[in-house]
Amino acid sequence: MNESVIKAGIIGSGFAARFHFDALKRVFSTKVEVVGAYSRNMDKLQQFTSDRNIQAFEQLEALIDACDVLHVCSPPVTHEPLVLAILQKHKHAIVEKPFTGYFGDGSSSFNGDTFPRQTGLDHTLASLKRMLDAESSSQGRIMYAENWVYAPAIQKEREVLEKTGGQILWMHGEQSHSGSHSLAYGEWKLSGGGSMIGKGSHPIAAAIYLKHVEGRSRNGSPIRPKTVSARTHAITRMETYDNKGHLQTHYKDIEDLAMVHIVFEDNTVANLFATELVLGGVKNRLEVNANNHRTVCNIAPNDAMQAYTPNETYFKNVYIVEKTETKQGWSSISPDEGWFNGYQHEMDAFYRSAAFGAPIESNSSLAADVMATIYAGYVSAEQKGTEVAITTL
């Protein structure tokens, strides 16, 4: 494109839309003009746009026509039709996670505990194929908004792999915290699953991404996931769960703990965890064990800054870190949480790709591998951990 100013539009008006807008302020590779936003919720749209002095678009098509890059920050059930509409007009689509998925059969009786998981996998693979086919016919590109890929620690490991020719032998990692406050997250028809997709998508994506990097560096093509074994559990929905009030418990038909074992095409492995059952703030971590090095990527928490107070009232107006239950005692305070999580790096990389044609690190191939792995993982979990083949597109 090589435009002097890239025009951006935001689809959505909630949490993701807000942090996308904030991250755009730190794009330095090219100039970005946020033209406006579109949302079905007109009240939230008016508030979102007026607070940021951008235009509120009443028609999606008008926003797409006015922009070069569209940020898909709407509920995941809307992602596929939005991406198809954007690509049809040869515009770029930055798509939040989950990229796509299965959100039920549309009936009022749908229950995430009881539907056949193969149905979810089949639906997701068909959705992925439609999105990838649309991209192949478009001048626009899909940019998968997986911030872990662009977290400085993960990008440093990418450099290590490329410069040393290292072979990753095994990885383990996790995302965990005390649970989402979003009521929509607790229903499969709104979220597409529980911990495996809502939190596990991050370490799963990072692990698959690094094997893609290794394969391209060593052999010229990505090393992709081959099989998955998984278990899921709904601990806080057990009758015997003793609720002390510290964990979120509003989940209706999703899991709150997931364990995933991935075998890659070269028979190396990754063990990844995701859960809503961890106190003390968010834990975002990936450890890489290679044949010539070992790295521990502590995205959060890390010891960049640590703080102590004998009484949390002193820190009443001080932001410490996401999802911490108390500010009293020692805290791993984050001086720039967005930076460590890769949000501004992600947006800068996407706009560098849009403006100058730079390769997209978090691309549609990665997104497809992640979603195929997760929904094959749900099939495995339904079968109590049976190894299931992953269909790569």
Side-chain angles (χ1 to χ4, degrees), residues 98-340:
F99 184 61
T100 186
Y102 179 65
F103 306 95
D105 57 13
S107 69
S108 59
S109 61
F110 173 80
N111 188 300
D113 288 329
T114 57
F115 78 90
R117 295 307 192 246
Q118 187 65 44
T119 298
L121 174 59
D122 292 343
H123 180 97
T124 301
L125 292 174
S127 176
L128 289 169
K129 187 177 188 306
R130 289 189 292 269
M131 294 167 82
L132 269 60
D133 285 349
E135 183 185 34
S136 67
S137 301
S138 175
Q139 295 174 25
R141 289 292 170 262
I142 291 171
M143 303 172 184
Y144 177 44
E146 176 45 71
N147 59 283
W148 271 43
V149 167
Y150 296 96
I154 300 297
Q155 280 299 301
K156 192 65 179 180
E157 172 59 13
R158 174 194 59 77
E159 179 187 352
V160 171
L161 286 169
E162 290 177 342
K163 290 183 176 179
T164 70
Q167 179 190 28
I168 298 174
L169 306 179
W170 68 287
M171 292 175 277
H172 67 96
E174 70 174 282
Q175 179 175 94
S176 57
H177 56 63
S178 58
S180 173
H181 293 279
S182 170
L183 295 179
Y185 178 73
E187 294 191 58
W188 193 295
K189 68 180 181 180
L190 299 175
S191 57
S195 294
M196 193 189 304
I197 192 170
K199 291 169 182 59
S201 58
H202 292 298
I204 289 171
I208 294 174
Y209 166 71
L210 290 175
K211 290 301 289 187
H212 280 200
V213 168
E214 178 199 328
R216 289 195 298 264
S217 178
R218 287 166 54 87
N219 306 309
S221 60
I223 298 169
R224 305 179 74 181
K226 180 173 65 173
T227 66
V228 61
S229 306
R231 294 299 304 269
T232 59
H233 302 275
I235 303 297
T236 57
R237 290 198 284 135
M238 298 189 310
E239 291 184 3
T240 55
Y241 172 61
D242 184 8
N243 188 358
K244 298 297 185 183
H246 302 300
L247 301 171
Q248 296 297 315
T249 59
H250 59 266
Y251 314 126
K252 178 183 176 181
D253 58 354
I254 64 166
E255 78 278 3
D256 54 23
L257 185 146
M259 300 171 284
V260 178
H261 177 77
I262 300 171
V263 179
F264 293 93
E265 290 174 327
D266 62 350
N267 292 319
T268 61
V269 301
N271 292 315
L272 307 162
F273 298 85
T275 182
E276 330 285 327
L277 307 177
V278 171
L279 297 175
V282 176
K283 186 174 183 181
N284 292 337
R285 183 178 187 273
L286 185 72
E287 180 173 332
V288 178
N289 295 272
N291 63 347
N292 62 1
H293 70 277
R294 174 188 178 191
T295 55
V296 179
C297 302
N298 282 324
I299 300 171
N302 57 60
D303 61 0
M305 183 177 181
Q306 294 185 302
Y308 174 86
T309 182
N311 190 324
E312 67 179 348
T313 59
Y314 296 131
F315 283 1
K316 179 181 178 181
N317 297 317
V318 179
Y319 180 78
I320 300 298
V321 72
E322 184 184 4
K323 297 291 184 182
T324 188
E325 291 79 33
T326 180
K327 298 177 181 180
Q328 191 161 307
W330 279 103
S331 298
S332 294
I333 190 169
S334 186
D336 191 339
E337 195 167 62
W339 188 92
F340 284 106

Side-chain angles (χ1 to χ4, degrees), residues 1 34 48 74 83 112 134 146 148 196 369 384:
M1 186 176 293
V34 181
F48 178 80
S74 53
V83 169
E146 176 45 71
W148 271 43
M196 193 189 304
D369 280 1
K384 307 300 183 185

